[in-house]
Amino acid sequence: SQQGEEDPQALSIQEGENATMNCSYKTSINNLQWYRQNSGRGLVHLILIRSNEREKHSGRLRVTLDTSKKSSSLLITASRAADTASYFCATDAGTALIFGKGTTLSVSS
Amino acid sequence: DTAVSQTPKYLVTQMGNDKSIKCEQNLGHDTMYWYKQDSKKFLKIMFSYNNKELIINETVPNRFSPKSPDKAHLNLHINSLELGDSAVYFCASSPERGYGGYTFGSGTRLTVV
């Protein structure tokens, strides 16, 4: 069953701009993770945020988690053409990761 | 060194055939998974094994049978292939659940004709 729902479905920006993607989910979770998938490739783990954390940073990535609203956001700062990919949130509720439908990000130079 | 490797990368076969996809991880992880990604990029969990033991078996037709000969390998066998089985199948592994991200293989694109 689907847990996460990303918003927007697609996002087009210019290089240097920031990209924000949102994820909403339905049930209690242990942690929430974000993944990137380049076209025709496997998923790559970006960042994990635990249910007792509110914000986490990794390089140009910033993730927030609001468990009261059951939502998370991924911010990519100073986007590059190489950031063009699909981004998925995934929730860990104790079994296997449940993925959302993803946001397709296109960064043009 | 490839952390999670899947073979084959592409698989084209006729309806009714039986095929297998192999997966191996060299990360020392205890848990392995099979996911199916459809044409709309939706990823759905199919199976999960922890140290050779089946722990998740989602609503998947029993034509799909996973096999884990050891904790580094998780293979997927599919009997009587149907057109609707066409998808990309991903193998993944993880450390103890809740303590790290998953490492995914590069996927096997299965096309049933």
Side-chain angles (χ1 to χ4, degrees):
Chain A
S1 61
Q2 184 190 341
Q3 165 78 302
E5 189 87 27
E6 285 93 338
D7 171 57
Q9 289 188 2
L11 181 60
S12 292
I13 59 174
Q14 298 282 334
E15 260 192 331
E17 294 180 340
N18 295 342
T20 299
M21 291 160 252
N22 302 297
C23 170
S24 59
Y25 57 94
K26 297 172 185 172
T27 65
S28 296
I29 59 172
N30 297 323
N31 65 68
L32 184 143
Q33 304 178 29
W34 286 89
Y35 287 78
R36 183 186 75 232
Q37 184 180 31
N38 290 88
S39 181
R41 307 290 293 271
L43 284 83
V44 174
H45 178 252
L46 296 176
I47 197 164
L48 180 156
I49 186 165
R50 301 196 187 286
S51 59
N52 61 354
E53 297 175 311
R54 292 297 166 257
E55 189 171 312
K56 205 158 180 183
H57 296 254
S58 176
R60 293 184 296 113
L61 306 180
R62 173 178 167 254
V63 168
T64 62
L65 179 64
D66 187 335
T67 52
S68 66
K69 295 181 179 177
K70 290 187 169 59
S71 67
S72 173
S73 68
L74 171 67
L75 168 67
I76 304 174
T77 59
S79 296
R80 305 166 182 168
D83 294 328
T84 294
S86 293
Y87 291 82
F88 295 88
C89 72
T91 52
D92 182 348
T95 55
L97 286 182
I98 306 297
F99 286 83
K101 292 182 180 177
T103 293
T104 300
L105 173 66
S106 179
V107 183
S108 53
S109 53
Chain B
D1 270 352
T2 304
V4 179
S5 59
Q6 291 180 232
T7 54
K9 190 169 175 64
Y10 299 96
L11 189 51
V12 181
T13 188
Q14 291 188 326
M15 281 175 54
N17 283 352
D18 303 338
K19 290 294 177 186
S20 292
I21 306 172
K22 294 186 177 182
C23 179
E24 176 181 4
Q25 56 99 358
N26 62 5
L27 298 166
H29 289 166
D30 284 336
T31 310
M32 296 184 72
Y33 312 82
W34 278 111
Y35 280 84
K36 178 181 179 181
Q37 186 173 43
D38 64 22
S39 58
K40 295 183 179 179
K41 294 189 179 178
F42 177 54
L43 276 149
K44 184 177 177 183
I45 179 70
M46 299 174 70
F47 301 104
S48 174
Y49 268 74
N50 182 266
N51 206 7
K52 301 194 297 175
E53 190 174 328
L54 180 66
I55 53 172
I56 294 175
N57 184 357
E58 288 294 308
T59 309
V60 174
N62 58 16
R63 297 181 296 102
F64 290 79
S65 55
K67 284 189 171 52
S68 182
D70 56 60
K71 77 173 197 177
H73 295 83
L74 180 60
N75 304 321
L76 183 64
H77 188 76
I78 315 170
N79 289 327
S80 304
L81 278 155
E82 300 177 356
L83 293 176
D85 297 332
S86 295
V88 181
Y89 293 83
F90 286 100
C91 176
S93 71
S94 72
E96 185 179 350
R97 275 181 291 160
Y99 288 90
Y102 289 18
T103 302
F104 279 80
S106 57
T108 295
R109 182 174 294 276
L110 171 66
T111 304
V112 183
V113 297

